[in-house]
Every structure is written in structure tokens, then in C-alpha cells.
Amino acid sequence: MQSALADVAQALMLPGTVGSAVGQVTGALIGALRERRRTVRALAGCARLADLLEAEPDLDALSFYPHLLAWELARLPEGKRVVPVVLLDTFEDIGDRTRRDLERLVQRAVWLLPDAFWVISGRSRLQWADAALQGQLDYTGTAAWPGLVHTAVPAARTSAQTGTARQVLIGDFSPEDCDDYLARRLTRGGQPLISEPVRQVITARSHGLPLYLDLSVARFLELSRSGRTPQPGDFDHDFPALVARTLTDLTPDERHVLRSVSLLDAFDVPLATRAAGLAHEGPALRLTERPFVREDPFGLWPFHLHGLIRSAVRNADDTTDDRWSERDWQQAAQRAFTTLGEQHHNSPGPGRLLLIACLRQGLRLARDHRLDLGWLTEAAWSYVGDSVWEPLAPPDTDTTALDTAADALVELLSALARRQHQHRSHTVARLTTVIDSRLLPDDLQHMALYYRAKAHRDLGDSPASRAGMQAVADGQGRLAPAARRGLAHLARMAGDFPTALATAHTLGWEGRHHRVEGDIWWPHGDMDRAATAYAAARDEAEHHGVTGERGNSQAHRAFALAFTAPTVADDELALAEQLLAGVDLRATTLITHIAALARDAGRTDADVDDRAQVLRTEIRTAGVTYAELALDLALAFHQAVRDDQDQVAMTIARLQENTRGGDFAYYSDIAAFMAGLVPAHPSGTRWVDSEPATRQRWQTLVTARRHHLRTTR
């Protein structure tokens, strides 16, 4: 029997130690059979023994002999009974998933030894619970292996024991585990050979991947044998061996898919298949079962490569026989880019989530592989249209080196998104770089011009803003109505309200006519008419599905009503906060904070002055000049309600100082109106009706607030 087993081991090219172990494990049984006095008892106790002894000792017959070992283990006395632990490592080496002959023999051994604990380690999960394998393997399906049912998360290491079988993904090491492993892996005199700085670099680069740690240890030993002390910089690179080890047991089509999806942040099976240029999804489906493919079931595209594997496949020197040329990578990038565009175009609804996901991946592909903009142009307009301003991955481009239209578009959209978190002067500088590069088509060039003009307006540079808005309006492009609205805003800022109102009537929905009207009526103290206009703007934005405009209009409605009805303003502010949730509009958020101050004007228990000081700092950080003027106006209202003439005078002086350029000069007039004063230096504003009517409305608001505070005490 030992000779036969040795022949089997040699035929299967098993390591000698394995063959020897297979032969020795039946030693006790062989000894028993040689003792004649036990033969009869053994034959009587083991029903299958006679059949096995009569069968020719070929490969198939010998694969049933574990049954005899299981029977012998079951007969051990209670005090000597043990549970053998059988370890089968690198299980993927027994063959592939097309030729399962050796796997069939191993599975049969596992099935016939139920009283042993089997630990089977490999890169891929065991498929024995898949009923479709019936005929290829002896025991298949969920009834045979209930613990091996696939649960969407691929397993890198699996352990099976009949009845309590399970598959477990070992996962990545934590940084602490990585450092502990490296410190213990090589020691001298009880001290780690790998220094702490080197361990830190290896740990950071490894992403917790055990294979990377092993390769780094091997490199450390190689460098040490060369006679020099390894330095941290020696490990700041990818290992080509990592690519080879990753690809070793993949089919050619699976390798093709792997390289294709390494271009993507996330993917699903159809996207991976199209990116690889394959006509069938099988290779992509099989690849998703590999442990280096991670799954987020809640993601738009559920799969992504392990970060280190992706980096190695993309960046390390590929020494494999089927490595890709630069043209292969370029073609794969174009296929992936085109597929993303098709998914965006074919989405059943507006799909903001899909839009952002496609933009993030598409921008990176176009930038890194110098692709034409294609569908990105329309996607960029969709992104801008909602005024939500989610951050876009890829990271900011080096603006000193804009070489392609994709580079310029990445910088443009990044600047627009980041302007909610940067001083407007940074936005102007970044957009100027994009404009001066002249890499974008005309419509996207106008987008950069328009938003730079808006940033100029926020900074108080009206001449530059007016020039930019006029250029966009004259271009008759998509943003021409918005630019005409910008010109109406500039007229309002200059105090020419009749011209601003006449322009507003020509704007239509595209020019946000209702919001412009609201912006005109509230400086006149006509808060009810302004609130009605803002409500119409909000409802119109909701009808058109423009999320940012809806929240913006509601925030301004709350601001107008904060001067008239504090109780109503509470509900309007709550609605504004709800509509702005998830929308990154910094200037609009500041307006809601100013509205909250105006709502609390006159109260001695609301810390209005302290809140205003904090808010002023936030406004200056953002670089939104007009918001600080609106803040001072809310403070003047608070001071007028309290009849604090000295504070009102200080606020008027500050407003006059900050509006010396001419824009918003009427704010100091309004502050005087609220306090019942005649402006010492009238701004010369052209009001829609008249200055006396405007003065009367503001004084009425102050009187009404005083009455409200007296009746609510």
C-alpha cells in the first residue's frame, strides 16, 4: 500500500514530504491488517474494507482510503480520541477551474474524513456548494456543503469542516499588525533588524497586503547581503513580482480584464467586460471572485481592486509574457471612457449620483491618457446646472502645466467645486489660468469666464465682473441668460434699481427672473413682495429639478421674512436648511446665518453681537464681500430696534467705508432709514418708487419688531 501511494504521489507530482505523509498516515491500519488476530475483527467492523482490499490500487480506488482512516479514528478510546487538523495551503496550485481531476480527489478525501478539521488556504473561494459542478465533483450543492455557500465577499482563505464549514476572508493587516510582523520577522539578539523608519515606509506602501510584506523582507535581506544598510527610500516602489504573483493563476482573459479594470476606481461586470473589449462576461465574473477584488454592495459600481494590486498592475515593470504595450493601455482607457459615457447617457433619470461617479472616473481617464473630451462636455454642464458642487476626484491638477483640454476641464471643475471652501481670490487665479490656456472649446471657455466674473463680483471688483458678464452675454451661449442676470445684479449693486428691474423682466427662467426680482424688492423694505418672488423662484427651480437654485431661493426667502415675522422665519429657515443639506453652497449658507441674526434682532438673550463677530470671521475667510455688508445691515436692524443710536452710527460709518467703491452704497442709506435718520451722505440711489416710500417701509419694520418684542415678553 505504501508503494502504491508513493507511485500516486509521483504521478501527481506532489512534494516528496506530502507523498511520504500520505503513506505514513495509514501505518497504523497497515500494522493492524498484518496482525492476523485483528483481521477478522477489522473486516467485521468496517463494511467497505473488503471492497477496498479487492479493488485494484489505482488512483481512483486509493482516493477512497481516507474512509478507512476515518473509521480507525472513530474507534479510538475516549481518552485517546483526537481531532486531526489537516492544512492544505495554496490550494489554487492543484489545477484550474476547467480541469478538476485532482480537486475531485482532494474533495473526496475531505468528504470521507468528517472527523478531521480541514483548513484549505488559497486565493479563491471553494465552489463546492455550487450545484452546477455536479458531474465534475462527487459531492456538490448546498445540502452537501451548507457552510460553503458563497456570500458575495470572495474569500482569500477558506476553512471547511463538514457540518460547520465556512469561508473566511483573512483581509488586510492593520498598520499595527504590519509593524509587529516586520519587527518579529527578522531579529538579532531579540531586536528587530528592520529599523522603525523602514518599517513605516513598508507598512504605508503595503496597504496591509501580506504578500507585499514578504517581498519587502526579501528585498531587505538582498540589500543587506550587498553590504549596505537598507534605507526607507529603498522600499518606496512597487514590486514587479507582485504583478507576476497576482497573475500567475489567472486565465489570459482574466488577466486582460484585470489590467483593464486597474484603470478604474470602481466597476461592475458589464463595465469591466466592455473596458476589456470582450464579448462575454465570464472572465470578468470570475475575476470578481478573487480576493484582491473588493466589494461594496452599496456602491454604484460594487467592485474595486485592492489599492496596492491596482498600483502594481498600473505602475510596476511588467515582465510577464502577455504584458501590454502603451497602445494596449491607451485603447483600454478609451474603451473604459466610452463605456462610462454610454452609462451616463443611457441612465433612465437625472441620476446625480451616476453623473458624479462617471465624471470622477471619466476626468481621470481623459487627463491621464490625453483623451478627447467627448461626453465630458455635456456631463460638465449637467454638473454645473444643479449648483450642488460635490467634490470631484481626481485631485487638483498642477495648474502650471495644463497641456490638454482634459487638464483644463479638470482644473475648471475643481476650481468651481473648491470655491465653496477657498477665498474667492484663489478661484479668480485658478480660473484665469484655465482661461489663458485657451485649451477649452468656446462653451466651456464661457463657463470659466462666467464663474470668474461671479468671483470678481463677490470680491467687490464690479468693473472686472461687468466685463466678464458682458463677454459671456455677447457670446449668446448657454450661460448668456445667466450673464444677463449677472449684469442685472451689477446694476442693482450700483443702485440703479429701475434698470435692474427692467432687465429682470426679460430674463425668464434661464435667467432666474423671480430671484432677481426678490433681490430688488427687499432693499426697498418690501419684504412681502420679495418673499413672494423668492417662493416663485424656489417652486420654479423645483419644477425644473435644479437642487442648488431651490435651496438658494428658499434661503433668500427666509432672509426677507426674518425682518418681518420671526415666528414664520423659524419655519422658513428650517426648510432652507433642509433644502441645503448635501448642497455645497457656502455663500448661501452664510445668508441663512445672517437671516437668523435678523430674526433675533432686538432680543437681549440671543447673543446677537457675539454671533455676528464669529460670522464676520467666516465671511472674511470665504472672501464674500457682499455677505459682510448684509451682516452689517442685520446688525443695524438689531441696533435700531434697541434704539442704540451710537451703535447705529458706528455701523453706518463702517458701511460707508466698505462701500466707497460705489457698489451697495445704498446699504448705509437703509441703515439710516431704519434708525429714523436722514443720510448725511446720500448714495444717490435710483429707487423703483421713491426714497421716502423706501424709508417709510424700513421704519415700519423696526416699529413692528419693537411691538413684537413687547407683546412676547
Side-chain angles (χ1 to χ4, degrees), residues 193-202 216 219-220 223-224 226-237:
L193 277 179
I194 305 178
S195 66
E196 183 175 355
V198 172
R199 297 202 306 269
Q200 289 177 351
V201 172
I202 296 174
S216 297
R219 179 169 175 77
F220 184 92
L223 293 173
S224 298
S226 69
R228 69 181 185 88
T229 302
Q231 300 299 316
D234 295 326
F235 297 88
D236 191 16
H237 72 288

Side-chain angles (χ1 to χ4, degrees), residues 142-154:
T142 57
W145 309 98
L148 295 185
V149 176
H150 182 42
T151 59
V153 178

Side-chain angles (χ1 to χ4, degrees), residues 199-216:
R199 297 202 306 269
Q200 289 177 351
V201 172
I202 296 174
T203 297
R205 292 280 297 176
S206 71
H207 292 263
L209 192 69
L211 176 56
Y212 187 92
L213 301 179
D214 285 340
L215 293 172
S216 297

Side-chain angles (χ1 to χ4, degrees), residues 253 256-258 260-261 264 267-288 335-336 339 343:
D253 280 350
H256 195 66
V257 175
L258 174 63
S260 299
V261 298
L264 298 167
F267 61 93
D268 56 13
V269 171
L271 178 56
T273 302
R274 292 289 304 278
L278 299 178
H280 49 287
E281 294 184 346
L285 193 61
R286 292 194 301 272
L287 188 72
T288 61
R335 289 193 300 266
T339 304
Q343 289 199 6

Side-chain angles (χ1 to χ4, degrees), residues 385-387 485 509 512 515 537-538 541 546-554 585:
D386 281 347
S387 300
R485 178 180 76 242
W509 151 249
R512 310 296 191 258
R515 179 155 62 86
R538 177 199 62 201
V546 182
T547 305
E549 178 62 24
R550 181 183 61 175
N552 191 16
S553 298
Q554 176 59 31
L585 293 173

Side-chain angles (χ1 to χ4, degrees), residues 19-333:
S20 175
V22 172
Q24 293 174 8
V25 80
T26 55
L29 179 62
I30 292 172
L33 294 178
R34 287 175 176 172
E35 298 179 14
R36 294 185 171 216
R37 61 181 178 276
R38 298 186 57 189
T39 301
V40 175
R41 193 186 317 166
L43 287 170
C46 184
R48 294 184 180 85
L49 179 59
D51 293 335
L52 291 174
L53 292 177
E54 290 178 3
E56 290 294 327
D58 56 16
L59 192 63
D60 192 64
L62 289 173
S63 66
F64 284 95
Y65 273 51
H67 169 76
L68 304 181
L69 179 57
W71 172 77
E72 186 174 11
L73 290 171
R75 296 182 70 246
L76 289 174
E78 186 69 30
K80 295 184 178 181
R81 189 163 297 175
V82 294
V83 178
V85 178
V86 185
L87 304 176
L88 299 182
D89 199 6
T90 59
F91 194 70
E92 67 275 4
D93 290 343
I94 68 168
D96 56 46
R97 296 192 173 193
T98 302
R99 296 172 54 255
R100 296 181 180 266
D101 297 338
L102 181 53
E103 184 180 0
R104 182 173 190 169
L105 299 180
V106 173
Q107 191 218 38
R108 187 179 294 168
V110 175
W111 178 264
L112 294 172
L113 267 176
D115 39 10
F117 183 79
W118 293 83
V119 180
I120 302 177
S121 305
R123 289 197 186 96
S124 304
R125 68 180 182 89
L126 292 176
Q127 296 177 306
W128 298 349
D130 188 349
L133 293 179
Q134 185 176 8
Q136 292 181 273
L137 300 175
D138 290 338
Y139 312 99
T140 59
T142 57
W145 309 98
L148 295 185
V149 176
H150 182 42
T151 59
V153 178
R157 301 273 179 176
T158 59
S159 61
Q161 181 184 12
T162 304
T164 60
R166 59 197 179 100
Q167 303 205 57
V168 180
L169 178 67
I170 294 298
D172 298 331
F173 288 179
S174 68
E176 294 79 11
D177 288 338
C178 291
D179 186 76
D180 184 68
Y181 170 81
L182 294 170
R184 295 171 183 268
R185 180 67 175 80
L186 299 175
T187 61
R188 177 178 295 161
Q191 297 300 314
L193 277 179
I194 305 178
S195 66
E196 183 175 355
V198 172
R199 297 202 306 269
Q200 289 177 351
V201 172
I202 296 174
T203 297
R205 292 280 297 176
S206 71
H207 292 263
L209 192 69
L211 176 56
Y212 187 92
L213 301 179
D214 285 340
L215 293 172
S216 297
V217 169
R219 179 169 175 77
F220 184 92
L221 291 173
E222 179 184 357
L223 293 173
S224 298
R225 284 193 292 266
S226 69
R228 69 181 185 88
T229 302
Q231 300 299 316
D234 295 326
F235 297 88
D236 191 16
H237 72 288
D238 295 301
F239 287 107
L242 190 61
V243 179
R245 296 274 289 272
T246 301
L247 299 178
T248 184
D249 61 329
L250 300 181
T251 66
D253 280 350
E254 289 171 353
R255 295 183 180 200
H256 195 66
V257 175
L258 174 63
R259 290 189 174 99
S260 299
V261 298
S262 71
L263 296 166
L264 298 167
D265 299 325
F267 61 93
D268 56 13
V269 171
L271 178 56
T273 302
R274 292 289 304 278
L278 299 178
H280 49 287
E281 294 184 346
L285 193 61
R286 292 194 301 272
L287 188 72
T288 61
E289 298 177 0
R290 300 289 179 168
F292 51 76
V293 176
R294 305 301 167 83
E295 183 175 8
D296 175 9
F298 302 106
L300 184 63
W301 295 295
F303 302 108
H304 64 275
L305 289 183
H306 184 285
L308 183 61
I309 298 299
R310 183 186 180 194
S311 174
V313 171
R314 286 288 294 115
N315 302 317
D317 293 333
D318 191 346
T319 58
T320 57
D321 291 339
D322 60 348
R323 60 185 176 274
W324 277 8
S325 67
E326 285 300 320
R327 182 173 176 79
D328 291 331
W329 284 108
Q330 187 72 13
Q331 291 175 339

Side-chain angles (χ1 to χ4, degrees), residues 394-464:
D396 293 350
T397 306
D398 178 4
T399 56
T400 62
L402 300 184
D403 296 326
T404 67
D407 289 337
L409 182 57
V410 168
E411 176 62 10
L412 168 60
L413 297 182
S414 176
L416 296 185
R418 288 294 301 162
R419 72 194 175 104
Q420 307 300 331
H421 307 279
Q422 291 178 334
H423 196 278
R424 289 297 195 266
S425 60
H426 293 292
T427 303
V428 168
R430 296 180 68 179
L431 293 179
T432 298
T433 301
V434 172
I435 293 167
D436 291 346
S437 73
R438 300 195 175 279
L439 292 168
L440 293 173
D442 288 344
D443 56 345
L444 292 177
Q445 187 82 348
H446 285 167
M447 181 190 291
L449 282 169
Y450 171 75
Y451 282 99
R452 186 179 67 172
K454 285 191 68 174
H456 277 307
R457 187 184 69 198
D458 292 343
L459 291 169
D461 189 352
S462 293

